[in-house]
Protein backbone atom coordinates (compact mmCIF):
# COMPACT_ATOMS: atom_id res chain seq x y z
CA UNK A 1 0.00 0.00 0.00
CA UNK A 2 1.47 3.31 -1.04
CA UNK A 3 1.45 6.13 1.49
CA UNK A 4 -0.92 8.94 0.82
CA UNK A 5 0.79 12.00 -0.67
CA UNK A 6 1.57 14.79 1.70
CA UNK A 7 -0.68 17.79 1.16
CA UNK A 8 0.98 20.76 -0.52
CA UNK A 9 -0.04 22.73 2.53
CA UNK A 10 0.91 20.59 5.56
CA UNK A 11 -1.51 22.57 7.69
CA UNK A 12 -4.35 20.84 5.87
CA UNK A 13 -3.40 17.65 7.72
CA UNK A 14 -4.17 19.28 11.05
CA UNK A 15 -7.83 19.25 12.18
CA UNK A 16 -9.39 22.68 12.25
CA UNK A 17 -9.68 23.61 15.95
CA UNK A 18 -12.19 26.35 15.10
CA UNK A 19 -14.77 23.87 13.78
CA UNK A 20 -16.25 23.15 17.20
CA UNK A 21 -16.10 26.84 18.06
CA UNK A 22 -18.11 27.71 14.95
CA UNK A 23 -20.58 24.97 15.76
CA UNK A 24 -21.10 26.28 19.31
CA UNK A 25 -21.44 29.87 18.09
CA UNK A 26 -24.12 29.00 15.57
CA UNK A 27 -25.92 26.72 18.03
CA UNK A 28 -26.29 29.84 20.15
CA UNK A 29 -27.13 32.15 17.22
CA UNK A 30 -29.79 29.96 15.59
CA UNK A 31 -32.36 30.14 18.46
CA UNK A 32 -31.82 33.90 18.67
CA UNK A 33 -32.44 34.23 14.92
CA UNK A 34 -35.59 32.09 15.18
CA UNK A 35 -36.89 34.30 18.00
CA UNK A 36 -36.04 37.40 15.95
CA UNK A 37 -38.12 36.10 13.04
CA UNK A 38 -41.07 35.35 15.32
CA UNK A 39 -40.78 38.78 16.96
CA UNK A 40 -40.74 40.50 13.58
CA UNK A 41 -43.99 38.77 12.71
CA UNK A 42 -45.63 39.52 16.07
CA UNK A 43 -44.95 43.26 15.90
CA UNK A 44 -46.63 43.40 12.47
CA UNK A 45 -49.84 41.68 13.56
CA UNK A 46 -52.52 41.89 12.39
CA UNK A 47 -51.29 43.76 9.28
CA UNK A 48 -48.44 41.67 7.90
CA UNK A 49 -46.02 42.83 5.25
CA UNK A 50 -46.72 40.93 1.98
CA UNK A 51 -43.13 39.66 1.87
CA UNK A 52 -42.71 38.86 5.56
CA UNK A 53 -45.95 36.89 5.81
CA UNK A 54 -44.34 34.04 3.82
CA UNK A 55 -40.59 34.76 3.84
CA UNK A 56 -40.14 34.90 7.63
CA UNK A 57 -41.97 31.60 8.35
CA UNK A 58 -39.92 29.93 5.59
CA UNK A 59 -36.69 31.35 7.03
CA UNK A 60 -37.76 30.18 10.48
CA UNK A 61 -38.22 26.60 9.28
CA UNK A 62 -34.78 26.58 7.60
CA UNK A 63 -33.01 28.01 10.65
CA UNK A 64 -34.77 25.58 12.99
CA UNK A 65 -33.75 22.69 10.75
CA UNK A 66 -30.12 23.86 10.71
CA UNK A 67 -30.16 24.20 14.49
CA UNK A 68 -31.44 20.65 14.99
CA UNK A 69 -28.90 19.28 12.51
CA UNK A 70 -26.01 21.15 14.17
CA UNK A 71 -26.83 19.49 17.48
CA UNK A 72 -25.41 16.25 16.10
CA UNK A 73 -21.66 16.08 16.85
CA UNK A 74 -20.95 14.57 13.42
CA UNK A 75 -22.94 17.20 11.53
CA UNK A 76 -21.27 18.81 8.46
CA UNK A 77 -20.79 22.19 10.13
CA UNK A 78 -19.60 24.25 7.13
CA UNK A 79 -22.36 22.98 4.85
CA UNK A 80 -25.12 23.63 7.40
CA UNK A 81 -23.81 27.12 8.14
CA UNK A 82 -23.77 27.73 4.39
CA UNK A 83 -27.45 26.79 4.17
CA UNK A 84 -28.31 29.14 7.05
CA UNK A 85 -26.26 31.98 5.54
CA UNK A 86 -27.84 31.54 2.10
CA UNK A 87 -31.33 31.54 3.61
CA UNK A 88 -30.74 34.70 5.67
CA UNK A 89 -28.97 36.48 2.78
CA UNK A 90 -31.83 35.60 0.43
CA UNK A 91 -34.36 37.06 2.86
CA UNK A 92 -32.48 40.34 3.28
CA UNK A 93 -31.92 40.69 -0.46
CA UNK A 94 -35.64 40.16 -1.08
CA UNK A 95 -36.40 42.66 1.69
CA UNK A 96 -34.00 45.19 0.10
CA UNK A 97 -35.73 44.88 -3.26
CA UNK A 98 -39.11 45.13 -1.52
CA UNK A 99 -38.22 48.34 0.29
CA UNK A 100 -37.10 49.97 -2.97
CA UNK A 101 -40.59 49.30 -4.26
CA UNK A 102 -42.53 50.34 -1.13
CA UNK A 103 -40.45 52.16 1.50
CA UNK A 104 -38.10 54.36 -0.55
CA UNK A 105 -40.78 56.11 -2.66
CA UNK A 106 -42.78 56.97 0.48
CA UNK A 107 -39.96 57.83 2.92
CA UNK A 108 -37.16 59.00 0.64
CA UNK A 109 -34.72 56.69 2.52
CA UNK A 110 -33.75 53.07 3.10
CA UNK A 111 -35.32 51.25 6.04
CA UNK A 112 -33.57 50.12 9.21
CA UNK A 113 -33.36 46.53 7.93
CA UNK A 114 -30.35 47.51 5.83
CA UNK A 115 -28.33 47.70 9.06
CA UNK A 116 -28.40 43.91 9.15
CA UNK A 117 -26.27 43.63 6.03
CA UNK A 118 -23.25 44.60 8.12
CA UNK A 119 -24.04 41.71 10.49
CA UNK A 120 -24.41 39.40 7.49
CA UNK A 121 -20.97 40.35 6.16
CA UNK A 122 -19.38 39.85 9.58
CA UNK A 123 -21.14 36.49 9.99
CA UNK A 124 -19.44 35.20 6.84
CA UNK A 125 -16.03 35.76 8.45
CA UNK A 126 -17.17 34.06 11.64
CA UNK A 127 -18.28 31.03 9.60
CA UNK A 128 -15.48 30.42 7.09
CA UNK A 129 -11.85 30.95 6.20
CA UNK A 130 -10.98 34.42 4.83
CA UNK A 131 -11.16 33.66 1.10
CA UNK A 132 -14.41 31.72 1.34
CA UNK A 133 -15.91 34.37 3.62
CA UNK A 134 -14.82 37.11 1.20
CA UNK A 135 -16.51 35.21 -1.64
CA UNK A 136 -19.82 34.77 0.21
CA UNK A 137 -19.87 38.34 1.56
CA UNK A 138 -18.79 39.71 -1.84
CA UNK A 139 -21.55 37.84 -3.68
CA UNK A 140 -24.10 39.12 -1.16
CA UNK A 141 -22.84 42.69 -1.57
CA UNK A 142 -22.79 42.35 -5.37
CA UNK A 143 -26.39 41.12 -5.48
CA UNK A 144 -27.44 43.96 -3.20
CA UNK A 145 -25.70 46.41 -5.54
CA UNK A 146 -27.42 44.87 -8.57
CA UNK A 147 -30.80 45.24 -6.85
CA UNK A 148 -30.04 48.87 -6.08
CA UNK A 149 -28.89 49.71 -9.62
CA UNK A 150 -31.93 48.06 -11.21
CA UNK A 151 -34.27 49.91 -8.86
CA UNK A 152 -32.60 53.23 -9.62
CA UNK A 153 -34.09 53.11 -13.10
CA UNK A 154 -37.54 52.33 -11.70
CA UNK A 155 -37.26 55.17 -9.15
CA UNK A 156 -36.11 57.56 -11.87
CA UNK A 157 -39.00 56.55 -14.10
CA UNK A 158 -41.46 57.18 -11.24
CA UNK A 159 -39.86 60.52 -10.33
CA UNK A 160 -38.92 59.21 -6.87
CA UNK A 161 -35.14 59.38 -7.31
CA UNK A 162 -33.71 62.21 -5.20
CA UNK A 163 -30.24 63.35 -4.21
CA UNK A 164 -30.98 62.16 -0.66
CA UNK A 165 -31.76 58.63 -1.87
CA UNK A 166 -28.60 58.59 -3.99
CA UNK A 167 -26.54 59.71 -1.00
CA UNK A 168 -28.01 57.07 1.32
CA UNK A 169 -27.46 54.34 -1.28
CA UNK A 170 -23.86 55.43 -1.82
CA UNK A 171 -23.22 55.30 1.94
CA UNK A 172 -24.86 51.87 2.20
CA UNK A 173 -22.81 50.28 -0.57
CA UNK A 174 -19.50 51.99 0.19
CA UNK A 175 -19.67 51.19 3.91
CA UNK A 176 -20.48 47.56 3.07
CA UNK A 177 -17.52 47.29 0.71
CA UNK A 178 -15.16 48.85 3.28
CA UNK A 179 -16.46 46.53 6.00
CA UNK A 180 -15.93 43.45 3.83
CA UNK A 181 -12.39 44.61 3.01
CA UNK A 182 -11.47 45.32 6.64
CA UNK A 183 -12.91 42.00 7.78
CA UNK A 184 -10.89 40.19 5.10
CA UNK A 185 -7.65 41.87 6.15
CA UNK A 186 -8.22 41.06 9.82
CA UNK A 187 -9.29 37.47 9.11
CA UNK A 188 -6.29 36.91 6.85
CA UNK A 189 -3.96 38.22 9.56
CA UNK A 190 -5.56 35.88 12.13
CA UNK A 191 -5.20 32.96 9.71
CA UNK A 192 -1.49 33.70 9.26
CA UNK A 193 -1.03 33.86 13.02
CA UNK A 194 -2.70 30.48 13.37
CA UNK A 195 -0.51 29.00 10.62
CA UNK A 196 2.63 30.22 12.37
CA UNK A 197 1.36 28.74 15.63
CA UNK A 198 0.58 25.40 13.96
CA UNK A 199 3.93 25.25 12.23
CA UNK A 200 5.62 25.56 15.62
CA UNK A 201 3.67 22.57 16.95
CA UNK A 202 3.45 20.22 13.96
CA UNK A 203 5.72 17.58 12.49
CA UNK A 204 5.85 18.24 8.76
CA UNK A 205 6.85 14.71 7.74
CA UNK A 206 3.92 12.89 9.34
CA UNK A 207 1.39 15.67 9.81
CA UNK A 208 1.17 14.78 13.51
CA UNK A 209 1.73 17.12 16.45
CA UNK A 210 5.41 17.40 17.31
CA UNK A 211 7.33 16.90 20.55
CA UNK A 212 6.84 20.49 21.67
CA UNK A 213 3.07 20.16 21.42
CA UNK A 214 3.11 16.77 23.17
CA UNK A 215 5.17 18.12 26.08
CA UNK A 216 2.76 21.01 26.60
CA UNK A 217 -0.30 18.78 26.32
CA UNK A 218 1.15 16.26 28.74
CA UNK A 219 2.06 18.98 31.24
CA UNK A 220 -1.55 20.19 31.24
CA UNK A 221 -2.91 16.72 32.02
CA UNK A 222 -0.41 15.86 34.76
CA UNK A 223 -1.37 18.78 36.98
CA UNK A 224 -2.71 17.99 40.46
CA UNK A 225 -6.37 17.00 40.48
CA UNK A 226 -6.47 15.58 36.97
CA UNK A 227 -8.03 12.20 36.23
CA UNK A 228 -5.85 9.12 35.53
CA UNK A 229 -3.59 9.51 32.52
CA UNK A 230 -1.46 6.96 30.70
CA UNK A 231 1.20 7.35 28.05
CA UNK A 232 2.49 4.94 25.43
CA UNK A 233 5.95 5.30 23.94
CA UNK A 234 6.10 3.57 20.55
CA UNK A 235 9.18 2.83 18.47
CA UNK A 236 9.53 1.42 14.95
CA UNK A 237 11.69 -1.70 15.13
CA UNK A 238 14.90 -1.87 13.04
CA UNK A 239 14.36 1.56 11.49
CA UNK A 240 18.11 2.02 10.91
CA UNK A 241 18.11 -1.20 8.91
CA UNK A 242 15.28 0.17 6.74
CA UNK A 243 17.19 3.39 6.07
CA UNK A 244 20.44 1.54 5.33
CA UNK A 245 18.75 -0.99 3.03
CA UNK A 246 16.23 1.12 1.14
CA UNK A 247 17.41 4.70 1.65
CA UNK A 248 16.20 7.56 3.77
CA UNK A 249 13.46 8.55 1.31
CA UNK A 250 11.84 5.12 1.82
CA UNK A 251 12.35 5.48 5.57
CA UNK A 252 10.43 8.75 5.44
CA UNK A 253 7.59 7.05 3.56
CA UNK A 254 7.49 4.28 6.17
CA UNK A 255 7.25 6.82 9.02
CA UNK A 256 4.47 8.66 7.23
CA UNK A 257 2.61 5.42 6.59
CA UNK A 258 3.16 4.28 10.17
CA UNK A 259 1.64 7.54 11.43
CA UNK A 260 -1.46 6.81 9.34
CA UNK A 261 -1.79 3.27 10.72
CA UNK A 262 -1.37 4.42 14.33
CA UNK A 263 -3.79 7.33 13.85
CA UNK A 264 -6.63 4.90 13.14
CA UNK A 265 -6.67 4.13 16.85
CA UNK A 266 -6.76 7.72 18.06
CA UNK A 267 -9.74 9.94 18.72
CA UNK A 268 -10.45 13.46 19.84
CA UNK A 269 -9.18 12.91 23.39
CA UNK A 270 -6.12 10.89 22.37
CA UNK A 271 -3.04 12.74 21.18
CA UNK A 272 -0.54 10.91 18.99
CA UNK A 273 2.66 12.88 18.43
CA UNK A 274 5.96 12.24 16.74
CA UNK A 275 8.42 12.28 19.61
CA UNK A 276 11.53 12.20 17.46
CA UNK A 277 13.14 9.98 14.84
CA UNK A 278 11.15 6.74 14.73
CA UNK A 279 9.55 7.29 18.16
CA UNK A 280 5.93 8.26 18.72
CA UNK A 281 4.14 9.24 21.92
CA UNK A 282 0.48 8.51 22.62
CA UNK A 283 -1.13 10.54 25.42
CA UNK A 284 -4.30 9.00 26.87
CA UNK A 285 -6.24 11.20 29.33
CA UNK A 286 -8.75 9.43 31.60
CA UNK A 287 -7.16 6.07 30.83
CA UNK A 288 -5.84 3.53 33.32
CA UNK A 289 -2.80 1.36 32.68
CA UNK A 290 -4.68 -1.80 31.66
CA UNK A 291 -6.75 0.04 29.03
CA UNK A 292 -3.68 1.83 27.68
CA UNK A 293 -1.85 -1.49 27.46
CA UNK A 294 -4.77 -3.03 25.53
CA UNK A 295 -4.85 -0.11 23.10
CA UNK A 296 -1.09 -0.30 22.54
CA UNK A 297 -1.44 -4.00 21.78
CA UNK A 298 -4.15 -3.30 19.19
CA UNK A 299 -1.86 -0.74 17.58
CA UNK A 300 1.02 -3.23 17.55
CA UNK A 301 -1.18 -5.82 15.85
CA UNK A 302 -2.38 -3.29 13.26
CA UNK A 303 1.19 -2.37 12.35
CA UNK A 304 2.26 -6.02 12.17
CA UNK A 305 -0.68 -6.81 9.84
CA UNK A 306 0.05 -3.82 7.58
CA UNK A 307 2.15 -4.23 4.43
CA UNK A 308 4.38 -1.20 3.95
CA UNK A 309 5.20 -0.06 0.45
CA UNK A 310 8.66 -1.29 -0.68
CA UNK A 311 9.47 -2.57 2.80
CA UNK A 312 6.74 -5.13 3.42
CA UNK A 313 6.15 -6.03 7.05
CA UNK A 314 7.43 -3.81 9.85
CA UNK A 315 6.80 -3.96 13.58
CA UNK A 316 6.75 -1.67 16.59
CA UNK A 317 7.60 -2.01 20.26
CA UNK A 318 5.79 -0.07 22.96
CA UNK A 319 6.19 0.91 26.59
CA UNK A 320 3.19 1.91 28.69
CA UNK A 321 3.01 3.82 31.97
CA UNK A 322 0.28 5.45 34.04
CA UNK A 323 0.90 8.80 35.69
CA UNK A 324 0.47 8.78 39.45
CA UNK A 325 -0.94 11.55 41.61
CA UNK A 326 1.23 14.68 41.44
CA UNK A 327 3.81 12.89 39.27
CA UNK A 328 5.75 15.17 36.94
CA UNK A 329 5.41 14.64 33.19
CA UNK A 330 9.08 13.80 32.73
CA UNK A 331 8.82 11.06 35.40
CA UNK A 332 5.98 9.16 33.74
CA UNK A 333 7.72 9.53 30.38
CA UNK A 334 10.90 8.09 31.85
CA UNK A 335 8.96 5.05 33.12
CA UNK A 336 7.26 4.54 29.73
CA UNK A 337 10.63 4.81 28.01
CA UNK A 338 12.10 2.23 30.41
CA UNK A 339 9.25 -0.15 29.59
CA UNK A 340 9.91 0.41 25.87
CA UNK A 341 13.59 -0.34 26.43
CA UNK A 342 12.66 -3.65 28.08
CA UNK A 343 10.35 -4.51 25.16
CA UNK A 344 13.25 -3.88 22.78
CA UNK A 345 15.57 -5.96 24.92
CA UNK A 346 13.20 -8.91 24.97
CA UNK A 347 12.96 -9.33 21.22
CA UNK A 348 10.97 -6.32 19.93
CA UNK A 349 7.44 -6.41 18.42
CA UNK A 350 5.90 -6.45 21.87
CA UNK A 351 4.16 -4.22 24.42
CA UNK A 352 5.42 -3.92 27.96
CA UNK A 353 3.96 -1.89 30.80
CA UNK A 354 5.63 -0.24 33.75
CA UNK A 355 4.10 -2.52 36.40
CA UNK A 356 5.93 -1.15 39.43
CA UNK A 357 4.74 2.42 40.10
CA UNK A 358 6.70 4.35 42.69
CA UNK A 359 5.34 3.36 46.10
CA UNK A 360 2.41 1.46 44.56
CA UNK A 361 1.25 -2.11 44.23
CA UNK A 362 2.63 -4.21 41.43
CA UNK A 363 0.23 -4.52 38.49
CA UNK A 364 0.10 -7.78 36.56
CA UNK A 365 -0.18 -7.33 32.83
CA UNK A 366 0.65 -9.80 30.09
CA UNK A 367 3.68 -9.33 27.88
CA UNK A 368 2.28 -9.29 24.36
CA UNK A 369 3.87 -9.80 20.99
CA UNK A 370 6.24 -12.37 19.60
Amino acid sequence: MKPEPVASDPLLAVPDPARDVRRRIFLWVMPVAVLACLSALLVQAPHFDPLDCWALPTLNVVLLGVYLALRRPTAPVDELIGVAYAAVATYFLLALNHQFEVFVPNHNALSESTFWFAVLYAAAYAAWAPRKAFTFAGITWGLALLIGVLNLFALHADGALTVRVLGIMAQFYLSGAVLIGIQYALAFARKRDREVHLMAYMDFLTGLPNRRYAEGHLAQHTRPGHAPLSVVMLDLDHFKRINDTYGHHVGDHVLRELAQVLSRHTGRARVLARWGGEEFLLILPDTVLADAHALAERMRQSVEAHVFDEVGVATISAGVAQAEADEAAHAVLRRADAALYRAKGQGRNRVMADTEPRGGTRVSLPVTGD
Side-chain angles (χ1 to χ4, degrees):
M1 174 182 175
K2 293 186 177 181
E4 296 178 6
V6 178
S8 57
D9 182 359
L11 296 170
L12 296 177
V14 179
D16 182 8
R19 179 184 179 278
D20 285 341
V21 175
R22 292 197 299 271
R23 178 173 170 272
R24 287 194 295 269
I25 289 174
F26 279 86
L27 277 176
W28 178 84
V29 168
M30 290 296 109
V32 175
V34 169
L35 289 175
C37 292
L38 293 174
S39 300
L41 284 173
L42 288 175
V43 298
Q44 294 180 27
H47 305 292
F48 296 102
D49 181 271
L51 172 66
D52 287 348
C53 69
W54 68 266
L56 283 176
T58 302
L59 180 59
N60 231 1
V61 170
V62 173
L63 294 180
L64 187 58
V66 169
Y67 172 76
L68 294 175
L70 278 175
R71 289 181 62 86
R72 294 186 294 110
T74 58
V77 176
D78 286 353
E79 290 78 359
L80 288 171
I81 292 175
V83 170
Y85 184 92
V88 175
T90 299
Y91 168 74
F92 281 117
L93 289 169
L94 289 173
L96 179 65
N97 184 69
H98 183 61
Q99 68 175 286
F100 272 115
E101 297 173 350
V102 178
F103 192 87
V104 174
N106 294 326
H107 300 276
N108 203 29
L110 294 173
S111 74
E112 294 84 352
S113 65
T114 54
F115 297 158
W116 286 98
F117 275 89
V119 177
L120 199 58
Y121 301 147
Y125 288 95
W128 299 295
R131 286 190 175 87
K132 188 174 182 179
F134 182 82
T135 299
F136 274 79
I139 290 174
T140 305
W141 182 88
L143 291 173
L145 178 63
L146 179 62
I147 289 172
V149 171
L150 293 176
N151 277 281
L152 279 178
F153 295 103
L155 290 172
H156 182 267
D158 294 339
L161 183 61
T162 65
V163 174
R164 173 179 168 79
V165 170
L166 285 173
I168 291 174
M169 290 178 62
Q171 295 284 352
F172 170 62
Y173 291 115
L174 287 174
S175 63
V178 171
L179 178 60
I180 292 171
I182 292 175
Q183 290 275 8
Y184 178 76
L186 292 175
F188 193 79
R190 288 193 297 269
K191 180 175 180 290
R192 286 301 180 198
D193 287 343
R194 176 178 175 267
E195 289 174 350
V196 171
H197 177 79
L198 286 175
M199 285 189 289
Y201 290 97
M202 190 189 69
D203 174 60
F204 275 69
L205 177 65
T206 62
L208 296 175
N210 61 16
R211 180 168 182 158
R212 177 186 295 180
Y213 178 89
E215 288 176 338
H217 188 78
L218 186 60
Q220 288 182 348
H221 284 84
T222 50
R223 292 173 180 171
H226 273 268
L229 172 138
S230 295
V231 296
V232 181
M233 191 74 75
L234 306 114
D235 185 274
L236 179 62
D237 296 329
H238 301 298
F239 183 60
K240 183 178 185 301
R241 183 186 301 173
I242 293 174
N243 278 334
D244 292 344
T245 304
Y246 301 99
H248 287 276
H249 67 289
V250 174
D252 287 347
H253 280 289
V254 170
L255 288 176
R256 192 178 297 118
E257 204 169 338
L258 175 61
Q260 294 168 7
V261 174
L262 296 176
S263 295
R264 296 170 191 163
H265 297 272
T266 62
R268 183 172 300 179
R270 301 168 178 173
V271 172
L272 176 67
R274 187 182 180 196
W275 192 246
E278 68 273 26
E279 283 191 332
F280 296 80
L281 178 68
L282 180 61
I283 303 172
L284 301 170
D286 304 322
T287 306
V288 297
L289 185 66
D291 292 338
H293 183 275
L295 175 60
E297 172 59 15
R298 291 196 297 273
M299 298 175 96
R300 185 198 66 78
Q301 292 174 0
S302 293
V303 174
E304 187 179 26
H306 183 79
V307 179
F308 290 82
D309 185 47
E310 298 189 55
V311 174
V313 176
T315 61
I316 61 169
S317 300
V320 188
Q322 179 180 333
E324 299 178 45
D326 301 331
E327 184 178 14
H330 67 86
V332 67
L333 286 175
R334 185 165 56 246
R335 293 194 289 113
D337 193 57
L340 171 61
Y341 184 79
R342 291 197 300 274
K344 290 280 190 181
Q346 294 188 21
R348 295 182 170 85
N349 189 24
R350 62 189 62 237
V351 178
M352 294 198 68
D354 179 75
T355 54
E356 295 185 4
R358 42 169 203 175
T361 304
R362 183 179 182 87
V363 181
S364 297
L365 289 174
V367 176
T368 53
D370 293 338

